[in-house]
Amino acid sequence: MTASATTPTAARVAVQEDRGRRGTTRRRRVQHPWAIVAFVAPFAVMFVLFYLVPIAVAIWQSMLVVEREGTYGAATEVFGGFQQYALVFQNEAFWTSVVRVLVFGIVQVPVMLGLALLFALLLDSPLIRGKKFFRLAFFAPYAVPGVIAAIMWGFLYSPNLSPFEALTSQVNLLSADFVLWAIANVVTWVFVGYNMLIIYSTLLAIPQEIYEAARIDGAGQARIAWSIKIPLVRPALVLTAVLSIIGTLQLLAEPQTFRSFSSAVTSTYTPNMTIYATSSIPNVSLAAAFSVVLALATFILSFTFLRLTRRKGAGE
Amino acid sequence: MSTAIGSDATSASPAVNPKGEARSGGAPASGRGPRESLLSRGGAMLVMAIFTLYFLVPIWWLLVASSKDRGQLFSTNPLWFADFKLFENIANLFAYRDGVYLKWLLNSLLYAGLGAVVATLLASMCGYALAKYRFPGRETIFNVVLGGVLVPATALALPLFLLFSRVQLTDTFWAVFLPSVVSPFGVYLSRVFAEASVPDELLEASRLDGAGELRTFFTVSIRLMFPALVTVFLFQFVTIWNNFFLPLIMLRSEELFPVTYGLYAWNSTINQFPELRTFVLVGSLLSIIPLIITFLLLQRYWRTGLGSGSLK
């Protein structure tokens, strides 16, 4: 978060505040304090209650262990330190599922964002007619919730129902070898249009004059796209990439739905499915520890990605 | 984080035209450079056509499949209509088990519609205050909220369950509704947008006229922020509508299910109850319609907001 202090907006605000201080007293009176409270408090209260408190509860719960007095004695929760985390790190199924979603993401995210970028560039170029139609057609799957998309594609993959029998009779897309990529296709299908639209909106906001010099020099659409447009939509690409990384590690609805189509999808197929399965045993303390580890992993991965892309950007 | 969703609000201004109009989607005449070859034009159209099939054929298949009865589902061409029984199937779906499907649909509309309205209101007020007032702790609040954007909703589901079970509110409407009225991304977007589109001079003028701060917000500022509000509303609407983990972990009573969870539950028992197959298909088809309508109605506004959120 430190970066925000160095951005122009924040800097400008700081300068203004500085001037204010120098001009009058050291501590300026806040104007309209009650209005500020009225504006901020409703959100702040809900944010604390439904974001910060749950996180605190999860961390606390993950430190507890259940102790029983004798076989039939009453169960009590006592503080157990990092015992649950030790179990998390010994849990092979969990780490297998983490590796699985990482492999999934390494393939699916670049494919999806590559397609989204290609479509956005084509929509922004003069090569395409009927832009409005294509925009709507490509975006339509985003209106399909993950569960519903998984149900639809589950049927489409099923050998006896599929309209693509020529394919599904040759390859069983629901078998252990293919089902991960069958799910990847569902996620791609739903989200390509959404990412395309974020990138496309960014392209629309670029002033036309920027392209003029390039055109005078005789650059074609491909060259303009490569040398001007792609560098300019970098922030949008970084944003969509981070959102996709978060989404990948949190995969739940699609694989959970696929369990009724494919026995290859186990109850611990993705990390979130492990958390759900563990919490319904119920072993809430272990599930809480899984949650904390997964949330941290997600946070670290998206943050690292941001750092890497930022450094690369600065070197250009 | 700030790099990603562009903490640099000022340079976002080209996208954040106060009237909410981005440059129109069609290629402007000035966009034509040297005449593009017929080949690349044809190639581009071919790519778009192929992917149009990829995106639309599954939805087309769902429509066709929903119009068939059980026998024809397996015996007729999957991509074309047989006896058109769509309306019969819909009537049967609505009648099944005292209209439990309709109940789910209404639940979803209530969770997502009402939840997104409240979320938009809370987020826009907070984002507006962060943009337009100077007060201690302002940047801290903003940074904590930005951190909240990085916390995935599914990571919160289990902790929320633990919290709600302590106050014995699991398996209630509130367990799914209350957490969904918080939208950190909405605060971020509102702040960026308010900075760019609500001029300080206007607020001063309004103050000179004797209007209170809240009144100014609700009568003047809220209008200027409209494209951002629509975007926040839609984001939150879709998030709640698609949220799966929270209902999965919170709800036991069927009458509280949102439509996605209800269909998931039916789909999971399809092997024991094959007659549910048609209901799952027709129910899936109908459940997509509310979102498509919402998108179509509001797309003029929210695409503007989308651009302003991502541009650095």
Side-chain angles (χ1 to χ4, degrees):
Chain A
M1 290 321 129
T2 47
S4 65
T6 61
T7 60
T9 321
R12 205 185 50 202
V13 169
V15 169
Q16 279 170 0
E17 278 170 357
D18 246 33
R19 275 187 203 139
R21 265 179 223 143
R22 238 179 287 145
T24 51
T25 48
R26 246 192 86 75
R27 298 192 102 212
R28 218 158 46 119
R29 260 177 63 92
V30 175
Q31 288 179 328
H32 318 291
W34 290 111
I36 295 170
V37 171
F39 281 128
V40 176
F43 177 84
V45 168
M46 299 307 264
F47 184 78
V48 169
L49 279 180
F50 299 115
Y51 262 78
L52 301 185
V53 173
I55 292 171
V57 168
I59 293 171
W60 172 242
Q61 184 74 44
S62 70
M63 304 277 196
L64 300 180
V65 284
V66 175
E67 257 178 23
R68 286 176 195 280
E69 294 172 24
T71 319
Y72 300 104
T76 46
E77 288 186 318
V78 296
F79 185 78
F82 290 100
Q83 281 183 42
Q84 305 290 0
Y85 290 92
L87 293 176
V88 169
F89 284 98
Q90 289 159 18
N91 192 311
E92 264 180 54
F94 179 72
W95 293 103
T96 309
S97 73
V98 170
V99 171
R100 186 176 290 124
V101 292
L102 285 177
V103 171
F104 178 102
I106 288 168
V107 176
Q108 189 265 337
V109 173
V111 168
M112 174 176 69
L113 295 185
L115 286 175
L117 178 64
L118 173 72
F119 300 149
L121 288 171
L122 284 176
L123 277 184
D124 195 53
S125 78
L127 297 174
I128 296 294
R129 278 157 210 266
K131 289 170 198 283
K132 207 172 169 188
F133 167 77
F134 287 125
R135 211 175 57 208
L136 278 178
F138 285 31
F139 184 65
Y142 184 62
V144 183
V147 172
I148 308 292
I151 291 176
M152 282 170 63
W153 281 97
F155 281 111
L156 292 175
Y157 294 144
S158 301
N160 54 348
L161 272 170
S162 176
F164 314 108
E165 223 189 321
L167 178 66
T168 51
S169 59
Q170 295 297 313
V171 214
N172 183 3
L173 294 168
L174 296 170
S175 65
D177 290 340
F178 292 104
V179 73
L180 187 65
W181 308 113
I183 296 172
N185 175 55
V186 179
V187 177
T188 307
W189 182 78
V190 171
F191 286 103
V192 163
Y194 169 77
N195 290 306
M196 171 195 81
L197 226 51
I198 292 185
I199 300 167
Y200 180 57
S201 307
T202 313
L203 282 172
L204 284 185
I206 298 171
Q208 286 291 296
E209 299 81 66
I210 290 183
Y211 307 129
E212 241 136 66
R215 267 199 296 269
I216 291 168
D217 289 345
Q221 288 301 322
R223 185 64 210 256
I224 291 179
W226 181 256
S227 304
I228 304 179
K229 289 183 178 176
I230 292 180
L232 282 173
V233 295
R234 256 184 76 101
L237 280 174
V238 172
L239 170 74
T240 50
V242 169
L243 294 179
S244 307
I245 291 171
I246 295 178
T248 303
L249 280 172
Q250 303 293 323
L251 263 181
L252 174 77
E254 295 85 356
Q256 182 77 23
T257 309
F258 261 72
R259 292 196 65 197
S260 54
F261 295 105
S262 168
S263 55
V265 182
T266 59
S267 65
T268 56
Y269 200 68
T270 71
N272 257 334
M273 288 170 75
T274 308
I275 292 172
Y276 175 62
T278 313
S279 72
S280 36
I281 293 174
N283 187 346
V284 286
S285 286
L286 184 58
F290 279 132
S291 290
V292 173
V293 171
L294 180 62
L296 274 178
T298 311
F299 204 88
I300 291 169
L301 203 66
S302 23
F303 207 78
T304 312
F305 181 80
L306 282 175
R307 287 291 299 265
L308 288 176
T309 48
R310 190 188 303 163
R311 191 168 304 155
K312 211 173 146 211
E316 278 170 7
Chain B
M1 185 64 235
S2 30
T3 318
I5 24 192
S7 53
D8 183 355
T10 38
S11 66
S13 44
V16 198
N17 179 327
K19 279 183 196 135
E21 290 289 333
R23 176 158 69 75
S24 82
S30 64
R32 305 251 161 120
R35 195 161 295 143
E36 303 303 329
S37 77
L38 230 64
L39 193 71
S40 53
R41 189 183 292 272
M45 287 303 277
L46 188 68
V47 169
M48 295 306 263
I50 290 171
F51 277 97
T52 303
L53 288 180
Y54 170 66
F55 288 117
L56 293 187
V57 165
I59 297 176
W60 171 254
W61 170 83
L62 184 64
L63 175 68
V64 170
S66 303
S67 75
K68 293 178 179 174
D69 63 25
R70 258 172 73 198
Q72 290 177 333
L73 198 57
F74 296 95
S75 58
T76 57
N77 179 356
L79 289 178
W80 198 250
F81 300 102
D83 297 341
F84 193 79
K85 298 219 167 112
L86 178 61
F87 297 105
E88 244 176 279
N89 288 340
I90 293 176
N92 289 339
L93 169 69
F94 285 175
Y96 185 70
R97 304 241 317 263
D98 301 325
V100 70
Y101 177 82
L102 266 181
K103 182 103 187 83
W104 293 342
L105 209 55
L106 288 176
N107 286 343
S108 275
L109 286 174
L110 202 61
Y111 288 129
L114 197 62
V117 167
V118 176
T120 308
L121 186 68
L122 298 185
S124 63
M125 281 165 53
C126 184
Y128 171 79
L130 291 173
K132 290 289 147 193
Y133 297 94
R134 313 270 165 261
F135 55 93
R138 192 175 75 127
E139 289 306 318
T140 312
I141 293 178
F142 186 62
N143 287 333
V144 171
V145 172
L146 258 190
V149 176
L150 271 193
V151 179
T154 44
L156 287 170
L158 180 77
L160 281 166
F161 172 77
L162 299 172
L163 186 70
F164 275 88
S165 57
R166 276 179 202 205
V167 289
Q168 311 216 317
L169 273 177
T170 52
D171 201 24
T172 63
F173 170 81
W174 302 108
V176 175
F177 180 79
L178 284 178
S180 61
V181 304
V182 190
S183 166
F185 186 67
V187 174
Y188 162 77
L189 203 62
S190 304
R191 179 185 174 161
V192 170
F193 212 84
E195 246 157 27
S197 63
V198 183
D200 285 333
E201 296 77 21
L202 203 70
L203 300 186
E204 287 305 326
S206 178
R207 275 172 201 140
L208 287 178
D209 286 345
E213 299 298 314
L214 289 176
R215 197 174 144 190
T216 307
F217 174 76
F218 282 106
T219 54
V220 181
S221 312
I222 218 167
R223 276 179 217 180
L224 295 171
M225 291 167 68
F226 196 67
L229 299 189
V230 172
T231 313
V232 175
F233 172 84
L234 268 173
F235 263 114
Q236 201 60 11
F237 189 89
V238 174
T239 307
I240 305 172
W241 190 273
N242 291 349
N243 194 350
F244 180 65
F245 208 170
L246 201 60
L248 179 72
I249 212 160
M250 288 283 190
L251 301 179
R252 291 288 164 269
S253 323
E254 207 179 60
E255 64 268 23
L256 292 172
F257 286 2
V259 67
T260 46
Y261 185 31
L263 288 170
Y264 161 81
W266 275 357
N267 189 57
S268 314
T269 58
I270 243 174
N271 291 330
Q272 295 100 287
F273 308 101
E275 70 274 15
L276 281 178
R277 182 168 284 130
T278 309
F279 291 153
V280 168
L281 292 174
V282 181
S284 297
L285 179 71
L286 294 184
S287 76
I288 299 172
I289 294 170
L291 268 190
I292 291 195
I293 292 176
T294 319
F295 275 126
L296 287 179
L297 286 180
L298 298 174
Q299 63 160 327
R300 196 164 77 85
Y301 301 102
W302 69 271
R303 278 194 300 112
T304 312
L306 209 60
S308 63
S310 60
L311 195 78
K312 196 168 91 167

